[in-house]
Amino acid sequence: MTSTARAYPNIALVKYWGKADEDLILPVAGSLSMTLDDYPTTTHVTLADEDHFNLNGTDQEGKVSARVFAFLDLVRDLARERCLDTANASATVTSVNEGPTAAGMASSASGFAALAVAASKEYGLDLDLRDLSRLARRGSGSASRSVIDRFAVWHAGTDESSFAEQIDAPDMAMISVPVATGEKAVSSRQGMVATATTSPFYPAWITSTEEILLEMIAACQAGDFTTIGEIAEVHATRMHAVIGASRPSIRYLNSASIDVFDEISQMRRDGLEAYGTADAGPNVFAISRVEDAQAVADRLAPLTRDGEAKILYPGRGAHLLSDGEA
Ligand code: 2P0
């Protein structure tokens, strides 16, 4: 038997940056994101004689596979708690990321969300959405949100209470504006620790994130696109500010990213409403109303690396695929 699952990346409107617990991957504050409808990761898990991980057709070793095998250990622990005879089984994991890794998509979010769904099925666990999100969180914090359809709030809390759940929000478009390729200088994981331990603005980042999350939840529930966009942009800017104040300084945005933010501001002055956000890398995403998406993409395409600004919409959370669907 093989279990197959698919999951998509998500882009946060209220960002996750900093952990209260490194091992359990508990965030210092909650976050809120939109799950995308493209750039899937599709993952097959089959019980086998030894653990094995293949990504995009290449057998993985070292740190990359160790992180996947450590995740399988968590799944086996859950199987053991339930006295399942799969608890001692190894597994072959085969994963394909369809997204251009260079587009700055969080492949760890879609990757661990798909793995949580496929592995829990293959090991015979019958997890509800909450426990799937908690499990995905242990692979990568942002993966907890990719389990959820459309828009997700990931709660800070304890191992029990830190999971993502769906929140109502108006339809909107997320326009990908890729400006750079290449590995990022500092991983999110390392950057979060550096920020927490050396940035003097970190305490204010935590309290202001808690406040802005409440504002964002209210704006989503009210269907207030303008407030959603304004606070998403300001929160992303604050994240890059708190990161930049680390010692030594860390900077994920480059001059091409700043040009995109400038163009987004100019669009607003021209009466085309869009807002910008960026994660731990130089690529920018623009948020717009669905009816403005094509106009925004057309304005931003010339600023991209390859001339294409792709329009994405709210997508499905991680889900199993039946035979033949993959
Ligand atoms: C986010 N990022 O909310 C933020 C914004 C990057 C910038 O979640 O250490 O890969 O595996 O929990 O989930 C990236 O963090 O980090 C991230 P780990 P993860 O989308």
Side-chain angles (χ1 to χ4, degrees), residues 237-275:
T237 307
R238 285 178 182 171
M239 182 187 77
H240 289 282
V242 70
I243 293 170
S246 301
R247 180 174 171 176
S249 184
I250 300 168
R251 186 160 55 84
Y252 289 113
L253 303 179
N254 62 24
S255 56
S257 327
I258 303 301
D259 287 346
V260 176
F261 277 97
D262 282 349
E263 182 64 11
I264 290 171
S265 302
Q266 184 59 48
M267 277 194 273
R268 287 203 294 269
R269 287 193 290 274
D270 297 343
L272 181 55
E273 194 178 358
Y275 301 90

Side-chain angles (χ1 to χ4, degrees), residues 184-204:
K184 58 178 112 163
V186 182
S187 72
S188 293
R189 216 160 255 204
Q190 292 170 323
M192 286 184 200
V193 172
T195 306
T197 52
T198 71
S199 178
F201 305 152
Y202 190 63

